[in-house]
Amino acid sequence: MPVGQKSTEMNWAGNYRYGAAAVHHPRCEDELRTLVAGAGSVRALGTRHSFNALADAEELVCLDALAPNITIDAAAMTATVSGGTRYGILASELARHGFALHNLASLPHISVAGAIATGTHGSGDGNGNLASAVAGLRFIDAAGDVRTVGRLETADFAGYVVGLGALGIVTEVTVGIEPAFEVAQHVYLDVAWDQVLADYDAVTGRAYSVSLFTDWHGEKVGQLWFKQRLGDGRTTEFPAQLLGGKAATANIHPVPGMAAVNCTAQLGAAGTWQDRLAHFRADYLPSSGAEIQSEWLVAREDAPAAINALRARAGEISPVLQVTEIRSVAADDLWLSASYQRDSVALHFTWIKDQSAVDKAVAVVEETLAPFAARPHWGKAFNARAAELAPLYPRFGDFQVLAARLDPTGKFRNGFLDRAVFAG
């Protein structure tokens, strides 16, 4: 087994310390295979952007010592990349060759395999989460053997993609790509809630990707970000005043009061997709991590009612909150995706770094959103257990069966997965 090092690793936010005895950095796939085959409990540790114990195990492996190995197949319109590669690196390479991904998350610093395993997403009425672009996976199973699955070749492929790391260590991901495009980003301040909710679909349909940022207090949303894909047939009109708000005259950070130096360019300046679809620049480190995050997705038709329900509890939520982001995510067919078979609206909470206070606020949000069958983001802070989550995912039981078949001894399971997926 490759020599590891005693783990002193914490997640990016610093609210969780991994309990692993060692963290390994295999230099090739064969080294990884040997490590996995000999381990009793092992999981992949990506860029540490999970806010819970999802990634933990007795032994952890980081794929950061493996080269990105980005291969573009222009005929098939796919790109294959090492699982530990960050989206910002993949995006830059694709753009260099005139190609694009359909979307990016708010941070381009996250790893490809980690993001798809948890159903991480960007925004846009017609844009599925990042996992929805996956066409194939290569991974190391519990026996240390290499397996490959593909959308066209594997009958239960939709069960593998948002796999929570429970099926194996993903070493390569093949994703669909498209021709490169340009985006202009427009930000409005102090937009009126009543005008937004009067025709919510019209607001989110105005641009390729739309985000609302709010603290839930008062009659104003706070910020409304439009990412306009140039030439896509949507409106090109972004006037000085819109929906009761005014266009920003300087770049803005989503969290009020924070400097926008690490944010992607705004003010309607056109730029390439990889420099606009994420909120934050790939050439800057993400923010300090002094935060905890949670997120829940509700069916799109329930979004206005869910938003108003949360607004009614602003007094319990806002004292612990830095900002909430509201985004659209298109439906997909991936079994454990939070947007499985339903167009969704994601309600993302960036909390202050106070775990006990956040735990109480999370309970308030879960209670408020329970009538809307809200599905949590797997990599963020939530309290729900498997018995509560199973009814929200029609293929939940099928995923349990798939995991048991691929990993009969539970090598890739941990306490978090036992609580949230496999209990009962």
Side-chain angles (χ1 to χ4, degrees), residues 131-354:
S132 68
V134 175
L137 297 171
R138 179 183 177 95
F139 65 97
I140 309 303
D141 69 10
D145 295 329
V146 175
R147 291 186 182 236
T148 59
V149 292
R151 179 169 287 280
L152 300 180
E153 303 82 20
T154 307
D156 51 2
F157 178 74
Y160 285 83
V161 185
V162 184
L164 310 183
L167 309 180
I169 308 294
V170 173
T171 58
E172 281 187 351
V173 181
T174 299
V175 296
I177 58 176
E178 59 186 84
F181 53 91
E182 289 197 322
V183 174
Q185 191 162 216
H186 310 266
V187 175
Y188 287 83
L189 307 178
D190 296 326
V191 173
W193 269 121
D194 59 353
Q195 294 194 43
V196 169
L197 296 178
D199 193 344
Y200 185 76
D201 289 348
V203 174
T204 62
R206 189 178 183 91
Y208 185 73
S209 172
V210 177
S211 294
L212 294 83
F213 293 95
T214 184
D215 65 3
W216 299 108
H217 273 306
E219 301 305 315
K220 302 292 186 180
V221 172
Q223 300 179 26
L224 181 49
W225 291 37
F226 294 105
K227 296 179 189 285
Q228 173 198 10
R229 179 168 173 166
L230 302 187
D232 70 354
R234 290 181 175 86
T235 181
T236 59
E237 297 298 320
F238 291 91
Q241 296 186 354
L242 184 68
L243 300 168
K246 295 182 179 180
T249 56
N251 282 357
I252 299 294
H253 193 287
V255 179
M258 293 193 68
V261 63
N262 62 344
C263 295
T264 51
Q266 302 157 28
L267 305 178
T272 54
W273 66 276
Q274 82 275 15
D275 291 329
R276 295 292 186 276
L277 287 181
H279 296 332
F280 299 98
R281 294 168 53 178
D283 57 347
Y284 272 72
L285 290 175
S287 55
S288 64
E291 62 192 58
I292 300 172
Q293 296 179 11
S294 299
E295 185 175 50
W296 292 265
L297 281 76
V298 301
R300 183 175 182 85
E301 59 269 23
D302 290 333
I307 288 169
N308 280 327
L310 290 167
R311 291 179 67 200
R313 304 194 73 170
E316 299 165 89
I317 296 170
S318 294
V320 194
L321 185 69
Q322 294 191 48
V323 74
T324 288
E325 181 179 9
I326 304 174
R327 292 176 283 180
S328 303
V329 187
D332 58 60
D333 67 345
L334 307 175
W335 293 359
L336 289 191
S337 166
S339 48
Y340 176 76
Q341 290 190 339
R342 71 183 193 189
D343 290 333
S344 302
V345 169
L347 303 153
H348 183 279
F349 297 78
T350 299
W351 308 106
I352 63 172
K353 191 177 171 183
D354 182 335

Side-chain angles (χ1 to χ4, degrees), residues 2 26-36 66 140 144 146:
R27 294 159 294 183
C28 63
E29 188 175 76
D30 283 344
E31 198 172 296
L32 175 61
R33 292 179 61 192
T34 301
L35 190 154
V36 172
L66 301 179
I140 309 303
V146 175

Side-chain angles (χ1 to χ4, degrees), residues 25-65:
H25 299 264
R27 294 159 294 183
C28 63
E29 188 175 76
D30 283 344
E31 198 172 296
L32 175 61
R33 292 179 61 192
T34 301
L35 190 154
V36 172
S41 167
V42 62
R43 288 179 62 78
L45 180 63
T47 49
R48 302 165 180 80
H49 277 84
S50 289
F51 294 80
N52 55 37
L54 174 62
D56 213 352
E58 292 176 7
E59 296 186 68
L60 296 173
V61 293
C62 289
L63 303 184
D64 53 1

Side-chain angles (χ1 to χ4, degrees), residues 88-121:
I89 293 173
L90 173 59
S92 293
E93 181 66 7
L94 290 177
R96 191 168 70 86
H97 291 278
F99 296 104
L101 298 168
H102 80 288
N103 214 348
L104 291 171
S106 59
L107 286 173
H109 308 79
I110 55 178
S111 69
V112 174
I116 67 169
T118 55
T120 296
H121 58 88

Side-chain angles (χ1 to χ4, degrees), residues 294 296 351 357-367 381-383:
S294 299
W296 292 265
W351 308 106
V358 169
D359 289 343
K360 295 175 183 177
V362 164
V364 169
V365 175
E366 286 184 320
E367 176 188 318
F382 66 92
N383 298 321

